Every structure is written in structure tokens, then in C-alpha cells.
Amino acid sequence: MLNILEQIQKPKAFDAFINENMKTSTYRVGWDREMEVEYEASKTYAAATAEYAAAMLGTVISEGAARPKRDMPSIGELSGTIARIGDEWQIPNDRLERYYYMLNRLRDKAKNLTETQKKTQYQNLVKYLFNPYELAAIAPHRRISAQYWEGLSDGQVTVAKTNNAGGIVWSTPLLNGIVKKLLPKGFTVWSTATLATMDVLATLQALEDMADAAGKTVLKFRVSKATAALISNSTQLKNLIGMNLGRLKADTTPMLAMDTVNSYLSALQRPTIEVIDEKGVLNTGASVNLFKDGRVVAQCADKVAILKVSDPLETIDPIPNKVYTSYFDNLISQWRNDNGRYVAYEMFAYPVFTGKNDVFILDVTTAYT
């Protein structure tokens, strides 16, 4: 029975260990559905990405700083602490001891197991050992997704003490050039208290008017799950859909399904609404929506951003005694010294909204006076 820890000290085996196991991981990169990658050979742009490459869900660090050394995090902590994008942690000794116990037990029992049983137990062993590496593989991609969704829904990216423990803090949010406006004067703001009077259709029309004025055509609207709930519960839509389509009656339906709302919008030849349900967990343990609540976004192109990527220094100048691999341009490394075994990752990346003129944001929680 092979010792996985020994095997993955070989570069090819380490690469297979990471990339093959990530195929069955429950964690997904996510941003690859929204952005293409554009590589930067020079460090002109990468110098900027080094300062704010992980604006949510990690530890933003300056270009010359060492990676923060941490206890191995949970995925929730990864989703809420901010990272150049880079962190490193020591694999806990009790996890290593547990791994060797499981390995030796499997070796002792192997002769009494069928091939199927041996394969199943070996897969369990791989899964147990893979967890620290899995977190390193997915960590920067969670942060990139957070930057993208915050930028798309609020026109800016923030880095503060509350979401960047142990890293740098920006004095002001970083604007990305996307137009963000308030509801027109006289419009009712959206909230659970204004469901009877908020005008969903007029709000969507206001966004279409903004796009028309810029010579654009809205392809779709995008909202958070909480904002979608306001739409589905609005008295206006429940009355209109119940009366015009006859599918649901307002007096017996507490809220509409978004599919029903979109069927109504399609019947009016209007763009439909996509619900973005992306969440992260801050280092305080609080769960946050990555797509900002209280925003309705009109998108006039399928893709409105690219991911600028540059290689970390260790890609071309590796450190002796480290073993490296890459997962979606995230450089993952491992090494061992007298103190134990370590895992680290580093990635230079930042979402750039090259299609900023194809996005329009309405803050529906506030109206112009």
C-alpha cells in the first residue's frame, strides 16, 4: 500500500494529486463562467494586483510582504479572511498522526479485504489527506469571485479591517468605473416594509432607459437572493401576474416563483432576472452575500470582465526543497522542515471590468430627493 505523502513529493504525482482530486471536490472555481483570463507578462499591472488581489475572502498583502502564517483554516475562514493572494499553514500534527494510523490500519487489513473494499478505503484515505491541499487550491478563487461579484453589484471593491484580518486596509473603496445610481426621484425604495408600493416594473424600465441612453440593450437583470425575494413578494407583480397570466392568485400565493416572474417578463418582451446566490463567511463567522443586496444590475453583454493574471516569482525562481503545482494559475507548494509539513498558495490576479460601459447598477434602497 503506497504512502501518499511520500508519493506526492514527486512533482508529477503532486500535480495529479491536486488536479485529479479537485475534479471531484465540492468547491468550484466559479469565476471561470464569468471571465476569460488575460495574462500579463510584465509586472506593470501585476504590481497593482499584488496590492489588492484578494479584496474579499482572504488576506490582501503588499507585494514584498511575506505570506501570513496561519493555523490551517476551515473553508469558512478561507471565505472570510482576505489574502496577494497568498497564505501558508502548517498541516496539524494530529492530522498527520491520524493519516498514518489510517494507512497502517489499511495495510494490516488489506489481505482480508476485497479489491473493491481496498479501493474504497484507500479513496477515504486520499480524501482525508487532501483536505489541507483542497483549501489551498480553492482559496484564491473564492476571493476572486468575491471581488468580481462585489464589483459587478456595487461598482467598487472594499478592503477593511472587518474583511481583511492581518492584511492591508484601503482608506477608500476601489472604484471600477461601473455606473451606479439611486432610484429616480419619487420612486418607493425597496424593503420588506414597502412590498405593497414598490414598483418593480418601473425600476427595471429605469435601468433599460439608462442603457438606451448609452446606446446599449439590456440582456439580463441580476439580483441577490434577498433582493429577488422582494421582487417575488411585491404586491405589484403578484396582482399583475395573477390577473394577466392566471397562473397564481395573489390572495392565495404568499410569493411568486422567479420562473413565473421571468415568464411574465418574457411575455412583455423584457429581459429576465437572474438570481445570484453566492455567499462567503467572514473571519467573525458572519455569512455575507457576495452579490450586494439592494442592487438591481442591468447587464448588456454576456461577459463584462477579464481576469488579469501574472505569475508569482516562485514560478520562475523556485525555492529548493519545495514541490510545486498549479491549479487555474494558483501556484500551490508544499515542503517539510524540522517543525512539520507546510502547504502554501500564491496567485497574482484581479478582475478588470473591461465591459464597465455594459453594466448599469441601481441602488434600490435609496432614491434621489
Side-chain angles (χ1 to χ4, degrees):
M1 193 68 64
L2 295 176
N3 183 344
I4 305 167
L5 269 177
E6 291 179 0
Q7 291 296 308
I8 63 175
Q9 302 313 305
K10 303 170 186 176
K12 286 186 178 180
F14 186 45
D15 179 75
F17 178 68
I18 295 295
N19 284 280
E20 290 302 314
N21 280 291
M22 285 306 295
K23 290 178 181 178
T24 58
S25 172
T26 56
Y27 306 126
R28 294 289 179 262
V29 169
W31 58 258
D32 57 328
R33 298 189 299 270
E34 298 286 328
M35 295 181 284
E36 302 292 340
V37 174
E38 186 173 294
Y39 295 97
E40 288 289 330
S42 72
K43 289 295 181 183
T44 303
Y45 189 87
T49 68
E51 294 179 19
Y52 48 74
M56 281 278 293
L57 314 181
T59 308
V60 178
I61 52 179
S62 60
E63 184 175 6
R67 289 185 293 263
K69 295 176 176 60
R70 306 184 183 280
D71 294 332
M72 195 184 85
S74 67
I75 189 62
E77 290 167 336
L78 277 176
S79 297
T81 60
I82 303 184
R84 188 178 37 231
I85 309 171
D87 271 318
E88 66 181 55
W89 51 80
Q90 182 176 359
I91 300 177
N93 287 335
D94 58 354
R95 174 173 283 271
L96 293 173
E97 290 171 358
R98 175 66 178 169
Y99 161 76
Y100 279 112
Y101 170 78
M102 293 169 68
L103 176 62
N104 291 329
R105 188 170 183 272
L106 179 55
R107 283 172 171 171
D108 291 340
K109 293 175 56 181
K111 60 184 179 182
N112 298 320
L113 300 176
T114 66
E115 287 302 315
T116 300
Q117 289 172 327
K118 281 191 287 187
K119 184 177 179 179
T120 299
Q121 293 201 24
Y122 191 74
Q123 287 174 338
N124 291 337
L125 187 64
V126 171
K127 183 177 180 180
Y128 180 78
L129 181 63
F130 183 60
N131 179 251
Y133 301 93
E134 182 180 31
L135 299 180
I138 203 63
H141 301 298
R142 294 283 296 153
R143 294 160 192 154
I144 291 167
S145 292
Q147 288 180 314
Y148 173 78
W149 290 121
E150 184 184 13
L152 182 70
S153 62
D154 206 33
Q156 61 184 16
V157 174
T158 54
V159 174
K161 289 181 179 179
T162 54
N163 65 8
N164 192 29
I168 64 173
V169 172
W170 299 342
S171 57
T172 58
L174 180 68
L175 302 177
N176 60 20
I178 295 177
V179 173
K180 181 174 69 173
K181 294 187 176 182
L182 309 180
L183 284 171
K185 183 178 180 180
F187 274 48
T188 300
V189 299
W190 293 19
S191 72
T192 53
T194 61
L195 293 174
T197 54
M198 55 185 266
D199 194 330
V200 175
L201 296 181
T203 300
L204 300 183
Q205 185 61 56
L207 275 166
E208 289 194 80
D209 291 343
M210 290 167 60
D212 288 343
K216 306 287 185 178
T217 300
V218 177
L219 297 183
K220 58 186 173 183
F221 300 108
R222 304 180 98 172
V223 299
S224 71
K225 189 175 181 180
T227 305
L230 295 177
I231 294 171
S232 297
N233 279 297
S234 68
T235 299
Q236 178 195 50
L237 288 186
K238 286 196 289 187
N239 287 344
L240 284 171
I241 292 174
M243 177 176 60
N244 291 343
L245 296 183
R247 294 190 177 192
L248 297 170
K249 297 298 183 182
D251 59 347
T252 59
T253 305
M255 69 181 295
L256 300 168
M258 189 52 66
D259 285 346
T260 304
V261 173
N262 281 332
S263 293
Y264 178 72
L265 292 174
S266 294
L268 297 178
Q269 297 185 325
R270 305 283 292 276
T272 56
I273 300 169
E274 180 183 355
V275 181
I276 306 301
D277 187 17
E278 292 280 347
K279 296 186 183 297
V281 181
L282 298 177
N283 58 323
T284 60
S287 176
V288 294
N289 293 318
L290 302 186
F291 194 101
K292 194 169 182 67
D293 292 335
R295 303 290 185 269
V296 181
V297 175
Q299 197 164 314
C300 302
D302 285 329
K303 293 185 178 181
V304 294
I306 58 172
L307 185 68
K308 290 280 189 175
V309 172
S310 187
D311 293 328
L313 177 61
E314 287 181 42
T315 303
I316 55 175
D317 188 17
I319 296 173
N321 193 40
K322 278 191 173 184
V323 183
Y324 296 93
T325 190
S326 178
Y327 179 69
F328 281 84
D329 296 301
N330 171 23
L331 185 66
I332 305 164
S333 59
Q334 62 165 334
W335 67 97
R336 183 182 182 180
N337 59 26
D338 292 341
N339 296 318
R341 293 184 183 272
Y342 295 83
V343 179
Y345 68 88
E346 187 168 14
M347 184 174 180
F348 281 78
Y350 191 72
V352 177
F353 284 87
T354 51
K356 60 185 176 63
N357 295 327
D358 289 312
V359 182
F360 302 88
I361 304 171
L362 266 186
D363 179 353
V364 297
T365 66
T366 312
Y368 289 110
T369 57

